[in-house]
Amino acid sequence: MSVEAKEANIAFLNDLWGLYKADIAAQRSFDVSKIDALANNPLSYLQKFDGDAAQVALNEKLVDSVRTRIDSKAYLMEIFGENDKKNSFNQIDFQKYLKLTRSPVLPSNQSDAVAVIVAKGIIRDGTHKEGTIGGDSLSKLIAKARNDDSVKSLVLRVDSRGGSAFASELIRQEVLETKKAGKPVIVSMGSYAASGGYWISANADEIWAAPTTITGSIGVFGLFPTLEKPFNDILGIYRDGVGTNTLTGGIDIMSGVRPELGNMIQLSVETIYDKFLTLVAEGRGMEKEEVDKIAQGRVWSGQKAMELGLVDKIGELEDAIAAAATKANLENYEVKHIKRELSPKEQLMQEILQTSTAAWVGDDFSTLSNQQSFIDKLKQNMAEELQIIESFDDPNHIYAHCFCSLEN
């Protein structure tokens, strides 16, 4: 890592670490300094209890008691009673819980609504299902909310590290159109709203973030993955050819990017970065030079982003919905979730999965395990990295994507 990257990363990590410590200290009723001592000197604490981490946690009041799995089950049976089989505590699986708690769909007497649209995942060109943000598919959902007469304001729930600059701009234009239609747009940021995620948020009427949201990363890069090095140096495979002009074969996965085309992509990167700075400056009521100082691809915590003017308020989705209602002068309203309509096949699969999940999971929490072997984790990490590379499908090969992630 470069010195600058380390400096930027430790700044937002210290913000998150401070919030994390303060929350734990408040919940466990002890001083923040205890967490620093435990985190910085774990060996000395373990030595006091012969390496027994559970006893360290108990002694330092991180936990209330230490129990075996059998004792834990007996304790829960004592509190909640026994299940029908008398072999575990009285409980309900997740899908049954959702069915019992889900409000029945009744005709609404309210004509006014706050629409909520979820934008989660990598931003890609085209149409995509949930878990990925499609420039076309998300644009259609925003247009659908805008054209719905019952919708008076929109909350865009953004949880994305960005992706295609082209797709991000398509979405931003729909946000602007919704504002022009007289419907306020409020952005609620989740874990991430960085780079392209911030691009689609910048022009909202109001931006809400959690203190620990990773946001900013106002930057752009050009990318076309090539494999000439391993093909040439390892496999001894080379590619050559002729063309009618400088651009012919300018980008080839087996021979790389020609300097002329590389310079063209670099020029596009600089142009789009300037556009990014401009749209943020206009959306946030700042000078472009002021935005440039806090941009440069640098990420910030939600708390720090509010201090810098990139975020308006700290709060969760419910707070953003309330703010959207206030902006639209609504007192009585319903919350309308705008989603992609499922195909008949998808609806059938959803029903089958909902009814079969309980049988597959079982009614005993002790049968569940989320443990992964080292090899499984390695394969998963590689698959995730390859998925990110595969998602780079911008028609201009220009991206606003944050390579930022948090791990426990």
Side-chain angles (χ1 to χ4, degrees):
M1 292 175 69
S2 66
V3 175
E4 294 81 4
K6 287 183 177 180
E7 181 185 342
N9 287 359
I10 197 62
F12 85 81
L13 287 172
N14 281 335
D15 285 346
L16 301 189
W17 178 232
L19 291 164
Y20 178 69
K21 290 188 296 183
D23 197 16
I24 291 178
Q27 296 298 325
R28 301 304 300 173
S29 301
F30 54 58
D31 195 76
V32 171
S33 60
K34 174 179 281 193
I35 302 174
D36 283 320
L38 284 163
N40 294 323
N41 305 287
L43 181 60
S44 62
Y45 284 89
L46 281 170
Q47 287 172 336
K48 293 178 184 177
F49 292 92
D50 298 324
D52 191 333
Q55 289 302 316
V56 172
L58 182 63
N59 186 69
E60 299 303 321
K61 299 182 180 178
L62 293 175
V63 299
D64 295 305
S65 64
V66 175
R67 301 171 187 264
T68 64
R69 184 173 292 183
I70 293 172
D71 289 340
S72 297
K73 185 187 288 187
Y75 175 68
L76 292 171
M77 289 169 71
E78 186 180 316
I79 295 175
F80 301 111
E82 297 179 338
N83 63 4
D84 293 337
K85 295 179 181 179
K86 308 294 184 184
N87 63 353
S88 186
F89 58 94
N90 194 20
Q91 58 190 282
I92 184 171
D93 71 71
F94 181 62
Q95 292 296 339
K96 286 182 180 177
Y97 174 79
L98 286 181
K99 283 185 177 180
L100 289 172
T101 57
R102 188 179 291 126
S103 301
V105 179
L106 300 173
S108 175
N109 295 322
Q110 296 175 333
S111 58
D112 296 335
V114 174
V116 176
I117 296 176
V118 175
K120 181 178 176 64
I122 295 173
I123 301 174
R124 300 185 62 178
D125 189 34
T127 298
H128 295 276
K129 295 181 180 179
E130 294 78 4
T132 299
I133 301 171
D136 292 335
S137 45
L138 184 59
S139 294
K140 287 178 182 177
L141 289 181
I142 297 173
K144 182 179 179 180
R146 182 174 66 250
N147 296 324
D148 186 336
D149 292 336
S150 70
V151 172
K152 305 304 179 185
S153 59
L154 168 65
V155 173
L156 188 61
R157 175 67 171 180
V158 179
D159 194 349
S160 173
R161 291 184 282 176
S164 165
F166 177 77
S168 298
E169 178 59 12
L170 290 180
I171 296 164
R172 187 183 76 91
Q173 289 297 328
E174 291 295 337
V175 169
L176 292 175
E177 284 299 306
T178 304
K179 290 174 62 178
K180 285 181 186 176
K183 298 186 178 185
V185 179
I186 308 295
V187 162
S188 169
M189 294 179 168
S191 300
Y192 301 93
S195 213
Y198 194 81
W199 187 306
I200 67 177
S201 305
N203 292 110
D205 291 289
E206 210 167 78
I207 298 177
W208 289 71
T212 53
T213 295
I214 301 302
T215 189
S217 188
I218 300 167
V220 180
F221 65 90
L223 174 73
F224 186 88
T226 60
L227 300 171
E228 71 273 16
K229 289 285 186 183
F231 271 97
N232 295 354
D233 301 343
I234 299 173
L235 301 175
I237 298 174
Y238 295 83
R239 173 116 88 184
D240 200 1
V242 293
T244 57
N245 56 64
T246 354
L247 298 180
T248 305
I251 298 180
D252 191 308
I253 193 170
M254 289 181 64
S255 58
V257 180
R258 289 186 183 175
E260 297 93 337
L261 215 57
N263 291 334
M264 290 172 62
I265 293 174
Q266 180 60 41
L267 182 59
S268 295
V269 166
E270 292 167 8
T271 300
I272 293 176
Y273 178 62
D274 186 73
K275 178 180 178 62
F276 201 167
L277 295 179
T278 302
L279 70 88
V280 171
E282 291 174 351
R284 304 306 301 160
M286 302 167 69
E287 295 296 325
K288 191 159 72 171
E289 294 74 19
E290 188 182 357
V291 176
D292 192 28
K293 290 178 183 177
I294 56 176
Q296 305 293 333
R298 183 164 178 170
V299 296
W300 309 96
S301 68
Q303 191 75 49
K304 186 65 178 178
M306 187 173 72
E307 295 175 21
L308 296 172
L310 294 176
V311 166
D312 293 301
K313 295 181 181 178
I314 297 297
E316 300 299 331
L317 176 59
E318 293 77 12
D319 302 306
I321 292 172
T326 301
K327 283 275 186 185
N329 299 313
L330 302 179
E331 292 185 4
N332 298 311
Y333 61 92
E334 63 176 333
V335 177
K336 181 180 287 190
H337 293 270
I338 308 293
K339 300 178 181 179
R340 179 182 64 88
E341 291 184 7
L342 298 180
S343 67
K345 181 179 178 181
E346 289 172 325
Q347 290 176 11
L348 176 63
M349 289 303 298
Q350 186 181 68
E351 290 177 12
I352 292 172
L353 288 172
Q354 285 179 347
T355 54
S356 63
T357 301
W360 179 74
V361 171
D363 64 351
D364 190 344
F365 77 111
S366 64
T367 63
L368 299 178
S369 173
N370 60 357
Q371 293 181 354
Q372 285 182 299
S373 69
F374 170 76
I375 298 298
D376 287 337
K377 289 180 179 177
L378 183 62
K379 288 192 291 187
Q380 181 181 335
N381 288 341
M382 290 177 65
E384 288 173 354
E385 293 299 325
L386 287 171
Q387 186 180 29
I388 290 174
I389 293 174
E390 184 188 18
S391 72
F392 290 143
D393 57 359
D394 186 280
N396 301 311
H397 308 294
I398 306 295
Y399 303 92
H401 181 85
C402 178
F403 290 91
C404 47
S405 62
L406 296 175
E407 296 181 5
N408 294 328

